Amino acid sequence: MATFDLENIPGIGLNTKNKLLKLGISNSRDLCFHLPVSYQDKTKLQNISQLNHDDFGYIECEILNKKILYKPRKIMIINAISNGEKVSIKFFYFNPGMIKIFKEKNFVRLYGQIKNGLYGKEMIHPECEVVNKDTKISNTLTSIYRTVKGVSQNKLRSFIKFSVQNIGDEDNDINLKKYGFDEINLLESLKQIHFPDKSIKKEDILPGGNHPARRRLIKEELLAFQLGMLSLKERRKKSKARSYKSIGEWTKNIETNMPFNLTVSQLKVINEIKKDLTETSPMMRLVQGDVGSGKTAVALMAASLVADKSDQVALMAPTTILAEQHYLSTLNFFKGKESQIALLTSSTPSKERDKILNKLFLNEIKIIIGTHALFQKDVEYADLGLIIIDEQHRFGVNQRLALKSQNSNKKYIPHHLTLTATPIPRTLSMSIYANMSISIIDELPPGRKEITTTSMGMNKKNELIKRLNEACAQGSQAYWVCALVEESDVINANPIEETFNEIKKNYPNLACEYIHGSMKAEQKNKIINNFKNGITKLLIATTVIEVGVDVPNADIIVIENCERFGLAQLHQLRGRVGRGDKQSNCVLLHNENIGENAAKRIEVLKGTNDGFEIAEQDLEIRGPGEIMGQEQTGVVPFKYVDLVRDSKFIEESTDLAKQIISDDKKLTDKLIQRWLSGSIDYADA
Ligand code: ADP
Ligand code: MG
């Protein structure tokens, strides 16, 4: 697609350019791909008598008179006549230009919502345009775009129009007819979506609609994505990794120190990983396993093989707390190896960090655990053999793909192992992770009891606290999770401290602490460890404890304002309990008035503990358009595809991608270039 700079588009100067950047638009191609979010139908004038209260309508009228009042508030009221019926038009905000439009005897076209006022029909703040006998009616639906302050719909429309008109026809290069794309090409699709002919029904051409133009975009984007994934896979195959087979001290060490027998499922997955590690092409494996299924032990078994060959392993966790926890369990698994295991996070003091970096470079550290800090530019590994990424759904695809080898020994690429607790159903993950092999841990360690889940309204909060206090006196440990919209909320409204104070006031003897994301790492650690060691009985927390915190003795979790969380997140939170052999309880505390979907989520959680099933139900409840919500943003870099809504195309595109990548390298590259340039980084291949 011929792409040109924004400056070449009439009407765009530096100022507008910067504003468009905020919309993620940096060239003409981005403008072409900036699709309308809705449409106005201004293709025919309507008769006002047929418009009812709240209808949107497009009418023409003649101005009779206007008056501008300043009290009780500023208002411009215009009386007009349309198809013989009186209509009054009201503006609470207006400028001199608008006053001129509504000159007596002018003919004006208005688009807006009709209201039945006290004295007849009204339109408040309609869009308006002065017309004469010759003014034509548009033949196309009028697109409405997402925009920013300072770039009006009209301006944005004209920029997009210019870009689409000057796009060039290089696109005809990408001809997919042979592959069953019988319909219209991309350029034609974009034209139809930006400027739909008046014969097209709005709902067909809107996102999710069934119009061939929409289908074309979706199918092509899916195909390009799959091709991107497959070509990543191919490139990896061609690159070299070290092969790890022989067992040494590290493996013996972990086998001796493992406090339990691995489950059949864990063993199966370990074997799959081991097999990959013996190969000389880099492993790219995803381990899916429900919360508490024991992914850490599996990952560390893999790590031991690499350390046994005196190579290095980097284990990356999404939060500092989780990194700390992994560090502690790693030390436990490899007793006697403490000096060769390190922790590196953004809160590691700089002196300490320098020391660690130096040791990494000298290969004196074999297993390093941390957060993103592990992959900053100046972190250089002597012989990095394996990268483990825990709870992958917390990282974006881009990051995942861009993780470079960072080996000073450039001849080899590290193996990749990714762990995730099934945020998405199997069918979808096959597509999203087409570049990976997938292993599934489908059983929990023995002796685990089903977590009992109940729900209650906020009015029972006091009673619940009373019962918690009693349970803690009997040896229970409990989490109390509060919903914050964002961690930064801690500063203003503070449900955490509020709940804490309430509990402290009524039960001063209950050992209770609270934790949230904006605390210093050191402090967080201390609090978590107090809880781990049983010093604290009740821990009030934000979702910072969502992943990874592992306190097997904890047997109660209360989730306050559970209606604010998504299913996947609730399940993940609930997974903080039921990690030992105690019978655990989860209490979902909700507001009195909750929506239908929130109520359904509660029912799903009460009904099952199975993460896979929850993921499936999640799809059903959320329905099209919502699956990749807040929790999962960044996972899938699609422009238009909605994996749930468009799941019917997935299988077909997977097959097609396999065919095209082996048949037509040029086409593959062109499609990847068109859809994924910038979002997939091949640096690691
Ligand atoms: P997740 O898959 O959620 O990351 P973890 O690796 O944190 O799970 O393991 C959850 C808990 O189960 C930990 O306390 C861990 O020590 C324990 N565990 C793991 N595997 C087994 C097993 N085979 N038998 C008993 N307990 C196990
Ligand atoms: Mg884990």
Side-chain angles (χ1 to χ4, degrees):
M1 190 176 294
T3 307
F4 44 91
D5 288 339
L6 294 178
E7 281 94 339
N8 299 328
I9 298 170
I12 299 189
L14 193 60
N15 196 357
T16 307
K17 186 178 158 175
N18 286 333
K19 283 177 182 150
L20 290 174
L21 276 178
K22 284 193 203 150
L23 288 169
I25 295 174
S26 55
N27 56 38
S28 65
R29 178 176 175 273
D30 296 338
L31 276 168
C32 293
F33 275 122
H34 190 73
L35 299 189
V37 288
S38 65
Y39 298 98
Q40 289 176 346
D41 188 354
K42 294 188 188 172
T43 61
K44 52 180 177 296
L45 285 165
Q46 286 159 291
N47 189 331
I48 190 161
S49 64
Q50 271 151 27
L51 292 169
N52 297 316
H53 187 70
D54 282 347
D55 282 351
F56 278 88
Y58 189 46
I59 60 168
E60 187 170 290
C61 54
E62 185 184 355
I63 305 303
L64 299 177
N65 57 53
K66 68 165 174 279
K67 55 180 180 257
I68 297 175
L69 305 174
Y70 292 90
K71 273 182 188 162
R73 62 179 292 190
K74 193 174 153 188
I75 184 171
M76 171 161 74
I77 303 174
I78 299 125
N79 290 309
I81 190 144
S82 179
N83 284 84
E85 185 172 340
K86 267 171 72 175
V87 54
S88 66
I89 308 152
K90 292 181 178 167
F91 289 93
F92 297 101
Y93 310 96
F94 50 93
N95 54 39
M98 288 164 68
I99 298 180
K100 259 192 235 152
I101 289 181
F102 295 103
K103 228 165 60 193
E104 209 172 302
K105 297 228 159 59
N106 264 0
F107 279 86
V108 178
R109 285 185 195 153
L110 305 170
Y111 182 90
Q113 203 172 15
I114 298 285
K115 296 283 175 193
N116 286 337
L118 224 45
Y119 305 103
K121 285 184 174 153
E122 295 182 352
M123 271 180 141
I124 296 165
H125 284 232
E127 285 178 29
C128 45
E129 178 194 15
V130 184
V131 293
N132 56 44
K133 284 197 288 302
D134 305 326
T135 312
K136 286 207 182 74
I137 294 263
S138 171
N139 273 323
T140 59
L141 298 177
T142 307
S143 292
I144 304 292
Y145 298 98
R146 192 165 55 84
T147 187
V148 286
K149 211 174 161 214
V151 181
S152 71
Q153 286 292 336
N154 273 334
K155 273 194 202 159
L156 188 53
R157 241 172 246 147
S158 78
F159 303 153
I160 289 173
K161 193 161 190 178
F162 185 88
S163 304
V164 175
Q165 279 167 349
N166 293 285
I167 200 172
D169 51 11
E170 287 93 333
D171 270 316
N172 296 329
D173 264 20
I174 298 187
N175 192 332
L176 294 169
K177 273 202 185 120
K178 189 166 126 193
Y179 297 103
F181 281 55
D182 54 346
E183 301 142 355
I184 44 187
N185 70 18
L186 185 81
L187 178 57
E188 194 51 39
S189 303
L190 290 176
K191 279 186 184 160
Q192 297 219 23
I193 292 172
H194 283 296
F195 324 109
D197 186 86
K198 62 180 175 190
S199 62
I200 294 175
K201 276 205 206 114
K202 264 202 248 180
E203 57 274 22
D204 282 346
I205 196 78
L206 276 168
N210 207 20
H211 192 275
R214 279 283 171 191
R215 278 216 307 272
R216 163 77 193 211
L217 286 188
I218 303 281
K219 282 168 70 175
E220 195 179 308
E221 182 174 30
L222 257 179
L223 177 63
F225 180 77
Q226 307 268 5
L227 285 170
M229 288 295 171
L230 290 178
S231 70
L232 271 181
K233 196 172 179 174
E234 283 200 344
R235 282 178 194 225
R236 280 192 82 80
K237 258 198 217 139
K238 284 190 199 127
S239 52
K240 284 247 163 301
R242 283 211 167 137
S243 143
Y244 300 99
K245 309 182 188 175
S246 35
I247 288 173
E249 263 182 53
W250 287 82
T251 303
K252 284 184 197 139
N253 221 325
I254 192 172
E255 281 173 359
T256 322
N257 294 325
M258 186 83 69
F260 39 71
N261 293 323
L262 292 166
T263 63
V264 174
S265 240
Q266 281 171 313
L267 286 170
K268 180 196 72 189
V269 172
I270 289 169
N271 280 331
E272 286 165 355
I273 296 169
K274 275 190 181 164
K275 188 164 172 303
D276 285 356
L277 290 178
T278 60
E279 308 281 338
T280 51
S281 62
M283 162 172 80
M284 191 69 169
R285 186 167 285 278
L286 176 76
V287 174
Q288 287 193 322
D290 211 346
V291 267
S293 61
K295 296 184 288 290
T296 320
V298 168
L300 290 176
M301 288 290 287
S304 67
L305 271 174
V306 174
D308 273 336
K309 197 171 179 171
S310 204
D311 277 0
Q312 297 168 302
V313 179
L315 194 169
M316 177 160 85
T319 64
T320 316
I321 293 187
L322 182 48
E324 298 265 359
Q325 298 295 300
H326 281 335
Y327 175 62
L328 295 177
S329 31
T330 309
L331 291 178
N332 275 333
F333 279 127
F334 301 106
K335 293 215 178 77
K337 298 282 187 195
E338 289 81 356
S339 66
Q340 299 177 61
I341 300 170
L343 173 72
L344 183 67
T345 67
S346 51
S347 39
T348 308
S350 72
K351 248 198 187 151
E352 172 75 12
R353 182 174 188 271
D354 288 346
K355 249 200 227 161
I356 292 176
L357 294 199
N358 196 37
K359 284 171 107 183
L360 270 181
F361 185 70
L362 296 173
N363 199 2
E364 287 171 12
I365 290 173
K366 300 296 179 212
I367 301 184
I368 186 151
I369 294 139
T371 51
H372 287 119
L374 293 179
F375 293 99
Q376 266 149 15
K377 278 213 178 67
D378 58 337
V379 184
E380 207 174 321
Y381 295 82
D383 282 297
L384 185 58
L386 171 65
I387 296 176
I388 302 169
I389 303 175
D390 192 18
E391 298 301 348
Q392 183 269 323
H393 66 285
R394 302 269 128 190
F395 300 102
V397 151
N398 301 355
Q399 258 167 313
R400 176 160 59 85
L401 299 177
L403 279 179
K404 283 203 195 144
S405 90
Q406 290 192 295
N407 254 334
S408 54
N409 180 349
K410 291 279 190 290
K411 274 195 249 150
Y412 295 99
I413 286 209
H415 295 279
H416 267 239
L417 181 64
T418 302
L419 314 176
T420 180
T422 332
I424 34 184
R426 261 175 275 225
T427 42
L428 296 188
S429 56
M430 301 298 269
S431 142
I432 298 170
Y433 303 119
N435 62 329
M436 302 199 197
S437 321
I438 298 182
S439 292
I440 298 176
I441 306 184
D442 52 10
E443 81 186 298
L444 294 178
R448 297 277 170 84
K449 300 200 173 64
E450 289 266 295
I451 303 165
T452 309
T453 301
T454 50
S455 64
M456 55 183 73
M458 277 303 221
N459 57 349
K460 301 261 175 65
K461 188 169 168 179
N462 286 335
E463 197 182 314
L464 179 64
I465 295 175
K466 180 164 167 266
R467 273 164 46 196
L468 267 185
N469 181 52
E470 286 161 11
C472 287
Q474 306 283 325
S476 277
Q477 275 188 282
Y479 296 96
W480 186 297
V481 180
C482 297
L484 297 183
V485 178
E486 278 174 3
E487 284 289 336
S488 61
D489 278 12
V490 172
I491 297 147
N492 306 325
N494 191 339
I496 299 246
E497 271 180 63
E498 226 166 72
T499 301
F500 175 78
N501 291 335
E502 212 175 308
I503 291 174
K504 265 287 160 218
K505 197 176 82 199
N506 295 319
Y507 305 98
N509 294 327
L510 177 57
C512 174
E513 289 195 298
Y514 65 90
I515 185 169
H516 56 72
S518 37
M519 288 174 160
K520 285 229 169 68
E522 211 176 305
Q523 197 183 358
K524 279 192 271 193
N525 266 330
K526 205 173 139 215
I527 294 168
I528 292 279
N529 287 332
N530 281 346
F531 190 63
K532 229 178 157 146
N533 299 329
I535 297 168
T536 312
K537 298 294 178 208
L538 176 63
L539 182 62
I540 303 171
T542 59
T543 51
V544 289
I545 58 131
E546 177 183 343
V547 285
V549 175
D550 182 36
V551 181
N553 192 51
D555 55 352
I556 302 173
I557 184 164
V558 177
I559 305 174
E560 184 173 342
N561 285 126
C562 65
E563 69 276 4
R564 293 211 205 153
F565 296 105
L567 255 184
Q569 201 175 11
L570 287 169
H571 177 61
Q572 187 83 23
L573 282 168
R574 179 171 64 174
R576 293 315 101 206
V577 299
R579 306 192 135 235
D581 45 16
K582 289 211 259 177
Q583 167 65 52
S584 298
N585 287 287
C586 168
V587 183
L588 302 171
L589 200 55
H590 58 80
N591 251 326
E592 304 309 321
N593 299 315
I594 52 172
E596 191 187 337
N597 282 352
K600 276 191 199 155
R601 289 198 291 270
I602 292 174
E603 286 315 305
V604 170
L605 284 168
K606 284 194 201 165
T608 179
N609 276 291
D610 178 346
F612 280 114
E613 195 181 325
I614 289 172
E616 301 282 354
Q617 301 232 23
D618 199 14
L619 286 190
E620 249 164 61
I621 295 177
R622 289 207 252 179
E626 287 178 79
I627 171 73
M628 296 304 159
Q630 216 186 355
E631 301 151 42
Q632 286 158 18
T633 37
V635 174
V636 188
F638 287 122
K639 278 189 173 74
Y640 311 122
V641 169
D642 177 315
L643 282 172
V644 181
R645 183 192 67 205
D646 304 322
S647 58
K648 54 184 176 293
F649 300 124
I650 290 179
E651 210 177 302
E652 175 189 329
S653 74
T654 311
D655 295 343
L656 201 53
K658 283 184 193 146
Q659 190 189 340
I660 292 178
I661 201 167
S662 69
D663 282 7
D664 195 339
K665 200 74 202 106
K666 260 204 184 131
L667 180 60
T668 302
D669 289 345
K670 276 186 195 150
L671 279 166
I672 290 177
Q673 175 63 26
R674 179 188 272 174
W675 288 95
L676 300 172
S677 61
S679 75
I680 284 199
D681 186 338
Y682 288 104
D684 69 333

